[in-house]
Amino acid sequence: MPQVELSSGTIAYEDTGGDGPVLVFLHGVLMDHTVWRKVVPDLRGTHRCVLPTLPLGSHRTPMRPDADLSLRGQALLVGEFLDRLDLREVTLVLNDWGGAQLLLAEGRTARIARLALVACEAFDNYPPGRPGRSLVRAASIPGGLALLMRLLRLRPVRRAPNGWGAMTEHPIPDEITDAWFRPARTDPGVRRDLAKYLTSTPPRRQLLQWSEQMRAFEGPVLVAWATRDRLMPREHGPRLAELFPRGRLAEIEGSRTLVPEDRPDELVRLLQDFLHTTRTTGTHDSAVASGHEKTPGHGE
């Protein structure tokens, strides 16, 4: 994998290359770019897909000891990544982890043309649900993360309904989760980075203030929300779509949080439609769909 040196350390990334519009795909905590492995193949022919592995616990190279890996720090790291690769007119695609939304609150949007929020953290839902709170508790206890990562070698633990089992309708293949969990299990530096992030969640008041500041973003925003999600409240979907002047909402049936795992076909369709309509018309529409997004002009 190619790598880029940023102020906080080395970031590895995948890049399909090409001259098409740029999509930057971001992943969640204790995951890497492979969460998008079912989505990218259908887009790479017409789009340049860039997939960084952020320092959220599945990265292979620890960050510098003094790196700011807080929620805001991670968001700014995404912005720095876009700058270093000189990526322009980017469509930023988020799933599970929602921290990169803070770039909008910071006004760091010169390189961001569109945003796709796919069943991700929003408003004050940091960290999300019982799995998120369990990670924070583990990170707050000396040796807690090391113990948790050892336990995650066991299939019943990783598929527990109050953990990763809550994130998909069907189990994620063991070879994928093995690769996700291995860095934090084997490298103390990676665990240190993960703990820095997990124990730095700002107070609710700050999170909500940042959310309000995001209203200033005037680009098109697709909010793709999973109807069976156990971590991201269903009401956050419409609320996010209404937050943005050019927001549109699509609800996806048959999926939990990791839509790229459960419904990659529907997600690809929604992304392609979103990219096509915003590129050719640039019009504002807000639609609610149940598995199929309504097109502009077809009513409520």
Side-chain angles (χ1 to χ4, degrees), residues 21 53 56 74 90 113 124 138 161 175 177 183 187 210 219-220 266 268 270 275 287:
T53 293
L56 291 170
Q74 296 266 6
V90 167
D124 57 347
E175 62 269 20
T177 51
D187 193 324
W210 281 332
E266 181 64 6
V268 166
L270 288 170
L275 293 163

Side-chain angles (χ1 to χ4, degrees), residues 32-43:
D32 64 19
H33 69 284
T34 58
V35 74
W36 298 103
R37 70 195 183 281
K38 300 178 182 179
V39 171
V40 169
D42 289 329
L43 296 169

Side-chain angles (χ1 to χ4, degrees), residues 150-165:
R150 287 197 296 271
L151 289 173
L152 283 170
R153 298 183 71 175
L154 305 174
R155 183 178 295 179
V157 176
R158 68 176 64 180
R159 295 184 178 178
N162 61 346
W164 270 260

Side-chain angles (χ1 to χ4, degrees), residues 53-275:
T53 293
L54 302 174
L56 291 170
S58 295
H59 54 299
R60 275 58 172 177
T61 303
M63 298 291 102
R64 297 191 178 98
D66 62 347
D68 178 5
L69 300 180
S70 65
L71 181 62
R72 179 176 180 271
Q74 296 266 6
L76 294 178
L77 197 63
V78 172
E80 187 180 351
F81 177 81
L82 302 182
D83 290 341
R84 286 285 284 113
L85 268 62
D86 193 24
L87 302 175
R88 308 182 184 195
E89 293 292 306
V90 167
T91 299
L92 201 58
V93 187
L94 283 62
N95 177 233
D96 186 28
W97 183 65
Q101 295 172 74
L102 270 62
L103 287 172
L104 311 185
E106 294 278 335
R108 296 281 301 273
T109 59
R111 295 184 180 274
I112 302 173
R114 304 173 190 81
L115 189 67
L117 302 176
V118 182
C120 64
E121 297 164 320
F123 303 109
D124 57 347
N125 189 34
Y126 293 84
R130 190 177 297 177
R133 292 190 294 272
S134 297
L135 279 172
V136 171
R137 283 195 296 271
S140 304
I141 301 170
L145 271 182
L147 175 60
L148 176 61
M149 298 316 301
R150 287 197 296 271
L151 289 173
L152 283 170
R153 298 183 71 175
L154 305 174
R155 183 178 295 179
V157 176
R158 68 176 64 180
R159 295 184 178 178
N162 61 346
W164 270 260
M167 301 187 75
T168 56
E169 286 286 86
H170 307 287
I172 303 168
D174 287 337
E175 62 269 20
I176 298 296
T177 51
D178 284 343
W180 289 355
F181 300 151
R182 187 178 300 113
R185 189 180 74 245
T186 59
D187 193 324
V190 171
R191 288 198 299 275
R192 175 205 64 203
D193 294 345
L194 177 59
K196 287 173 72 173
Y197 171 74
L198 291 172
T199 57
S200 67
T201 304
R204 180 174 184 268
R205 183 180 188 179
Q206 179 65 76
L207 292 169
L208 293 176
Q209 180 180 332
W210 281 332
S211 297
E212 282 300 308
Q213 292 170 346
M214 294 192 307
R215 291 183 184 275
F217 182 67
E218 296 180 351
V221 179
L222 170 66
V223 179
W225 226 245
T227 60
R228 293 178 58 81
D229 202 326
R230 296 183 179 182
L231 305 184
M232 315 302 170
R234 188 165 182 178
E235 62 269 20
H236 279 189
R239 187 175 163 191
L240 271 174
E242 292 169 5
L243 183 73
F244 297 103
R246 299 178 64 188
R248 65 169 71 174
L249 173 67
E251 291 191 328
I252 300 176
E253 297 284 357
S255 182
R256 298 186 190 176
T257 305
L258 296 187
V259 179
E261 287 286 334
D262 283 337
R263 291 298 312 278
D265 53 341
E266 181 64 6
L267 182 54
V268 166
R269 188 192 70 80
L270 288 170
L271 286 172
Q272 289 174 330
D273 178 70
F274 174 59
L275 293 163

